[in-house]
Amino acid sequence: MDDFLKTMANPAPMSEAEQKKAGTPMGGDMGDDHKNFCTAITKLFESGEIDMTQPETFLNKDVYDSLSPEWKTKTDLNIPNIATLLSHIYDFYKSKQTPDACPQLATMIEQLWEMKQRVEIHADVFKF
């Protein structure tokens, strides 16, 4: 641990090219669940079924309407974070500058699943 602290206290200088390389996504693979999720949300976005500018399109309206006021509020409070992360995942997946499968994308998907799971503990409120 002492070596780590010394290294962090006195970082080696990095060129701009090295900094850019350090920030690029690494190649790798993801599980089938992650890949299928990317395919599913891509279809939802491109068909217009869900729209990033209208987060209410993420919801199964009948399920949402049947929620108690408490769970509607909890859902509403989570939608902005879910929308942002969903947008990042879609943009990352569609970008030609990033790999279609990599650990960074898998991590974003898992974060979204965790947020979604906290809301959907009582009902399957989202379309994805």
Side-chain angles (χ1 to χ4, degrees):
M1 181 69 165
D2 194 39
D3 290 340
F4 174 76
L5 295 175
K6 285 179 186 175
T7 301
M8 293 290 94
N10 299 309
M14 290 179 73
S15 69
E16 188 174 331
E18 290 172 320
Q19 291 176 35
K20 286 181 181 179
K21 184 179 179 195
T24 57
M26 34 182 178
D29 201 8
M30 302 185 303
D32 288 339
D33 289 345
H34 295 84
K35 292 175 187 175
N36 293 338
F37 181 78
C38 287
T39 303
I41 64 165
T42 297
K43 288 178 184 174
L44 290 170
F45 278 122
E46 293 177 356
S47 72
E49 189 171 340
I50 61 175
D51 181 348
M52 206 43 73
T53 63
Q54 298 177 341
E56 64 275 6
T57 62
F58 301 169
L59 301 171
N60 287 320
K61 192 70 171 141
D62 293 337
V63 175
Y64 177 79
D65 290 342
S66 70
L67 292 174
S68 69
E70 175 188 5
W71 279 100
K72 280 184 183 178
T73 301
K74 288 180 181 186
T75 301
D76 293 345
L77 290 172
N78 279 287
I79 285 179
N81 293 331
I82 288 173
T84 300
L85 192 49
L86 190 60
S87 175
H88 289 317
I89 291 167
Y90 175 74
D91 291 343
F92 191 101
Y93 182 69
K94 293 300 288 182
S95 174
K96 299 298 179 213
Q97 298 174 357
T98 57
D100 286 350
C102 66
Q104 292 89 344
L105 182 56
T107 299
M108 285 191 282
I109 292 168
E110 288 170 12
Q111 288 173 336
L112 178 67
W113 286 346
E114 285 180 28
M115 277 190 249
K116 187 175 169 274
Q117 186 177 34
R118 281 186 226 125
V119 172
E120 292 189 327
I121 197 164
H122 290 295
D124 189 20
V125 74
F126 295 105
K127 292 180 180 177
F128 48 87

